Amino acid sequence: MRYSVFVCSFLFLMALFSSLGGRAQSIITDSLHLVIAKSSTSNGERIEAMAQLSKIIAAQNKLPEALKIAKEAQQLSHREKDGRYGALIQSTLSYLHVQQDSLKLAFQAIDSAEQYLSHTTDKIIQGRVLFRRGWLEHIVENTDKAYQNMLKALRLLNEDGTDLYKSNIYHYLAAIHAYWGNTDKQLHYTRLCHDVAHRSGNPDAIANANLSMGTSYLYRFRKDDSQQQLLDSAAYFYRSVLQLTDSLKSRITLPSTRGIAALNMANLYFEFYPASYQDSAQVYLNEALSIGKKINNVDIIANSYGILSEYSLKENDYIRAEALLQMALTEIINSPGGTLSKGRITNALARVAEKSGNTAKALEYYKQYMKYDKELFDKEKLSITQRLEIQYQSEKKELALTATKQEALFTKKLNRYYLITIIAGLIALFFLFRSYHFKLKSSQQKQLLLTGEKNKAELQTNLKIEETARLRAERELMQERLNQLEKKLLAGTLQVAEKNTLMKELKDKLSLLDREDPLYRQIDRLISKNHDVDKGYNNIRTELSEISPDFIANLQQKAENKLTRLDLKYCSYILMGLTNKEIAVKLNVDPKSIRMARYRIKQKLNLQKEENLDQFINELGA
């Protein structure tokens, strides 16, 4: 069992306010309570203090109290016209809901925060909300959206006093590139995190940046272990964390930083150095264990005992190896979290018992491991369900937003048409009046009646012409609406096809579950409802196809039935007016493959090189 705990540092900032401890934490909470209680404190300052205090209270595992403080701050924010305070407290609520494992409420809160942003010009709070949105997307593994939101946040946070926020963002950008396997970009953003953290002067941010730098070099060494200087650099930055946290004890509010650095140093000695360095590793492990027990950090405790156990296994001391793992399990057994660590420890115990020849004990430990593994599996199932629901709601929201924009654009064009028509009518009436006035003055009294009749006839003729033009305009408008409806339905059809592919994969995964499992029946009912929705949607599609059924048929006729379903999907997206880049995003493929597909479709349609595929499809669709 290899205890490579260096990945802990990339989860470090997710708990930026979740490990505050000891005297430093007490000083901060006391000062915040003082700010809140002072009568001279402005309403806005009180809201900001309550938002910060709620995060610290949540870090003490007092979520109900933290939520209560945040809700009170939310009520105070309603008094402020500036939306920055509402956005701030909703962003804070989003963070607290994640600590409650309620991703749905977290995303609802960040949606509300973004609505408040429309009522403020404060770029710093806009950047912070965008960062929180990216943070949430990172949690549900929507790394592309997380990356985009964090880059947008960086562009907004270009004022003085924002270095701490930018350091956090660079930290996550480095983590995302590590997830993507891009070590060069990871190191680039880690260095930016390091530079900005030093510029901020915040000891916790500096310590975390050094931790990230060490981790980045360790990643690179694992990919190319011939470069010893990379391992030396990793050790240098981990030691820097220990030196910094030792020299600035009174200003460090995150003791877990030091614990992780000590643990990573011990892991370096265990994994890459000879057994003769065990004494050095022991020093760091003792430090990590001391901190882990003090702040009740399950991961630090479990990994520290795990490395000690591995050293005992190397010496074939099975009794001590088992005793160390039992000590770790005893330390964390009553912790509310740590299911993964408990599973790893019991699995290691089973392996130690098996090596020592005690198969009965190994089997008992393995049963405990299976129990923790099942708990972890159930949590992962719930997490996956929440992520799928959030992704569905996000896509639904994006579709609704697109439809709203299109409707607003159409309404704008229609209003413009009405305005032009009214102005033209007024101008026409003005000239008619002027003409009538001059004729009235120049006509003789005896011809007044004849002139009036003539003008009446002309007016009736004009009215008929205008009525004809109005009917023609209405027909054109109805045709335009029909075309829009066809494109929307075509887009919906493609979306349903993509969704059905996802539902099929979900059903395949569902077949692996026990049919008696309540979750199985719930998901099965959802899939059945999905089929009913698709059936109703197909009826609508059939009705529309009766209005304009010729596009696909004509397309296949031109291609002599050579077009595949994927080719038809490409053609449908082109008819909808999507660009190559947009089609690539829809189908999750490289834009280069879209260009190759277009070339293949032109060949099947017997189009010449100079002929335009988009024009051909639009003319055929018209």
Side-chain angles (χ1 to χ4, degrees), residues 274-286:
S276 58
Y277 285 83
Q278 182 175 348
D279 291 342
S280 298
Q282 183 72 50
V283 173
Y284 290 113
L285 287 172
N286 290 340

Side-chain angles (χ1 to χ4, degrees), residues 414-439:
L414 188 62
N415 290 338
R416 188 181 302 161
Y417 168 76
Y418 284 148
L419 181 62
I420 293 172
T421 303
I422 291 171
I423 293 174
L426 291 174
I427 292 173
L429 287 175
F430 172 76
F431 282 110
L432 284 173
F433 175 77
R434 294 287 293 175
S435 175
Y436 174 76
H437 178 72
F438 284 123
K439 287 181 180 179

Side-chain angles (χ1 to χ4, degrees), residues 104-156:
K104 184 177 181 180
L105 291 178
F107 273 89
Q108 289 176 355
I110 205 64
D111 288 341
S112 299
E114 290 176 346
Q115 292 176 2
Y116 277 106
L117 292 182
S118 61
H119 302 289
T120 184
T121 57
D122 190 327
K123 290 187 177 181
I124 294 179
I125 194 64
Q126 291 172 359
R128 291 174 65 181
V129 170
L130 275 173
F131 164 66
R132 184 63 65 196
R133 165 71 74 176
W135 178 74
L136 285 175
E137 297 290 356
H138 182 63
I139 289 175
V140 298
E141 298 180 4
N142 287 336
T143 51
D144 290 337
K145 289 184 179 179
Y147 193 75
Q148 293 170 6
N149 280 290
M150 289 186 183
L151 289 179
K152 290 178 183 177
L154 276 178
R155 287 193 287 270
L156 290 169

Side-chain angles (χ1 to χ4, degrees), residues 234-448:
Y236 167 79
F237 281 105
Y238 290 149
R239 291 193 184 99
S240 297
V241 175
L242 297 172
Q243 293 170 1
L244 177 68
T245 53
D246 185 56
S247 62
L248 297 175
K249 286 181 181 178
S250 62
R251 296 179 59 194
I252 294 294
T253 60
L254 298 168
S256 57
T257 313
R258 182 177 179 83
I260 294 171
L263 188 58
N264 286 355
M265 277 301 302
N267 186 67
L268 288 184
Y269 280 114
F270 169 73
E271 190 173 356
F272 301 110
Y273 288 80
S276 58
Y277 285 83
Q278 182 175 348
D279 291 342
S280 298
Q282 183 72 50
V283 173
Y284 290 113
L285 287 172
N286 290 340
E287 177 71 13
L289 267 175
S290 174
I291 295 171
K293 291 178 181 180
K294 185 177 180 180
I295 64 176
N296 194 27
N297 189 304
V298 173
D299 291 327
I300 293 178
I301 295 171
N303 282 283
S304 297
Y305 278 116
I307 295 175
L308 287 171
S309 174
E310 286 296 311
Y311 272 118
S312 296
L313 281 179
K314 286 184 177 181
E315 299 171 356
N316 294 323
D317 190 349
Y318 301 116
I319 295 176
R320 177 167 173 73
E322 182 180 4
L324 288 166
L325 291 172
Q326 283 287 5
M327 290 171 66
L329 194 59
T330 302
E331 292 279 355
I332 69 173
I333 194 68
N334 295 322
S335 300
T339 304
L340 178 61
S341 295
K342 295 172 188 175
R344 287 177 175 173
I345 292 173
T346 52
N347 188 32
L349 282 166
R351 187 166 63 89
V352 171
E354 184 180 2
K355 283 189 174 183
S356 66
N358 193 336
T359 56
K361 186 181 286 187
L363 180 60
E364 185 63 29
Y365 284 137
Y366 186 72
K367 288 180 180 178
Q368 293 181 34
Y369 164 71
M370 292 302 295
K371 183 188 74 170
Y372 291 125
D373 188 64
K374 185 178 183 304
E375 289 181 14
L376 187 63
F377 178 71
D378 291 340
K379 288 182 180 179
E380 287 178 350
K381 284 195 300 184
L382 180 61
S383 177
I384 290 171
T385 302
Q386 288 185 341
R387 287 202 301 269
L388 287 174
E389 182 179 0
I390 289 168
Q391 288 174 358
Y392 169 74
Q393 294 296 336
S394 177
E395 292 176 0
K396 182 179 178 181
K397 179 183 174 182
E398 288 177 0
L399 287 173
L401 184 61
T402 302
T404 302
K405 289 181 178 178
Q406 291 177 346
E407 185 176 354
L409 182 61
F410 174 75
T411 303
K412 184 178 180 181
K413 290 181 178 179
L414 188 62
N415 290 338
R416 188 181 302 161
Y417 168 76
Y418 284 148
L419 181 62
I420 293 172
T421 303
I422 291 171
I423 293 174
L426 291 174
I427 292 173
L429 287 175
F430 172 76
F431 282 110
L432 284 173
F433 175 77
R434 294 287 293 175
S435 175
Y436 174 76
H437 178 72
F438 284 123
K439 287 181 180 179
L440 184 63
K441 288 179 64 175
S442 61
S443 298
Q444 297 179 0
Q445 188 66 31
K446 60 181 179 181
Q447 294 178 344
L448 181 61

Side-chain angles (χ1 to χ4, degrees), residues 410 414 418 473-482:
F410 174 75
L414 188 62
Y418 284 148
E474 288 181 354
R475 284 197 299 271
E476 292 175 354
L477 178 60
M478 291 300 293
Q479 183 61 40
E480 183 177 354
R481 288 179 177 174
L482 179 59

Side-chain angles (χ1 to χ4, degrees), residues 206-218:
I206 296 170
N208 180 69
N210 285 339
L211 198 62
S212 298
M213 287 293 292
T215 300
S216 179
Y217 279 111
L218 186 56

Side-chain angles (χ1 to χ4, degrees), residues 161-185:
T162 60
D163 287 333
L164 182 60
Y165 304 129
K166 289 193 285 189
S167 176
N168 294 351
I169 294 172
Y170 287 135
H171 178 94
Y172 277 103
L173 290 173
I176 290 171
H177 279 291
Y179 176 79
W180 287 339
N182 190 337
T183 54
D184 291 335
K185 281 287 187 178

